[in-house]
Amino acid sequence: MEEIIEGQFRKESPLELAIETSIEAQDVSIEITLNSDDRLSNENVAVTVLVVENSVIGTGSGYDQRNYGHTDENHPYYNQGEYIEGFEHTNVIRHVISAFDGDVVEFELKSAVCSGAFNTDMLPNELEAYSIIAFASESVKVGSPILNATLLSFKDRT
């Protein structure tokens, strides 16, 4: 399985993605630009855009991570209890900007643009604690192959 995954990582994507943002007061506007090359055979492409919180740490219900490796001596969390208190959850989805299965984009020649927005009032922390993840798949059909993905971290912008 690792060979298959490694081979997929080394493949060059037929589609480039770029994220641009602008911020005015509490409103964040997002524009995703897609550029394809001649290898993109299916122009039925869907883009999914998520706002994720980079790191969430807490204790108690909703935060503690069930430790399925507690009894497995080969697991990194072996013998650390049934629940790991203060576990760091990464890339926690806080908002889906597109349709959950993605928005179909219309290509003009080899380019397409999709956009969205969100208000920072809906986020529990400062904007620097979040990133935008965008990925393009072959269609909105669940399980469609992902053609490419990109991430924009607000921490890196400030």
Side-chain angles (χ1 to χ4, degrees):
M1 184 61 123
E2 286 181 32
E3 290 175 13
I4 294 171
I5 293 171
E6 188 64 33
Q8 291 298 317
F9 278 134
R10 290 189 178 152
K11 272 187 178 178
E12 193 173 309
S13 175
L15 187 67
E16 293 178 359
L17 293 174
I19 301 173
E20 293 289 329
T21 60
S22 62
I23 303 168
E24 188 173 317
Q26 279 71 38
D27 295 318
V28 179
S29 297
I30 302 164
E31 185 172 279
I32 313 292
T33 304
L34 299 87
N35 291 305
S36 69
D37 64 18
D38 293 331
R39 292 176 294 149
L40 185 63
S41 60
N42 180 4
E43 291 187 359
N44 185 19
V45 174
V47 175
T48 303
V49 184
L50 312 168
V51 177
V52 297
E53 190 167 357
N54 302 326
S55 175
V56 177
I57 300 173
T59 57
S61 179
Y63 290 100
D64 296 340
Q65 176 70 37
R66 178 76 185 259
N67 184 6
Y68 293 98
H70 172 61
T71 58
D72 180 357
E73 60 188 37
N74 295 317
H75 196 277
Y77 294 112
Y78 172 66
N79 211 21
Q80 292 188 21
E82 188 176 344
Y83 288 90
I84 303 169
E85 293 181 14
F87 185 84
E88 179 184 13
H89 301 271
T90 57
N91 298 318
V92 176
I93 298 172
R94 292 299 188 192
H95 186 63
V96 181
I97 294 172
S98 62
F100 185 76
D101 294 333
D103 294 332
V104 174
V105 293
E106 297 293 326
F107 280 84
E108 288 187 31
L109 298 176
K110 295 182 181 185
S111 295
V113 175
C114 62
S115 59
F118 68 96
N119 188 291
T120 59
D121 288 342
M122 60 181 262
L123 303 174
N125 294 307
E126 295 295 318
L127 191 57
E128 292 78 26
Y130 300 89
S131 296
I132 295 174
I133 296 175
F135 62 91
S137 56
E138 285 186 359
S139 73
V140 294
K141 189 175 174 184
V142 174
S144 295
I146 293 176
L147 300 168
N148 206 345
T150 190
L151 175 138
L152 179 136
S153 171
F154 286 105
K155 182 175 78 170
D156 297 337
R157 290 192 74 219
T158 55

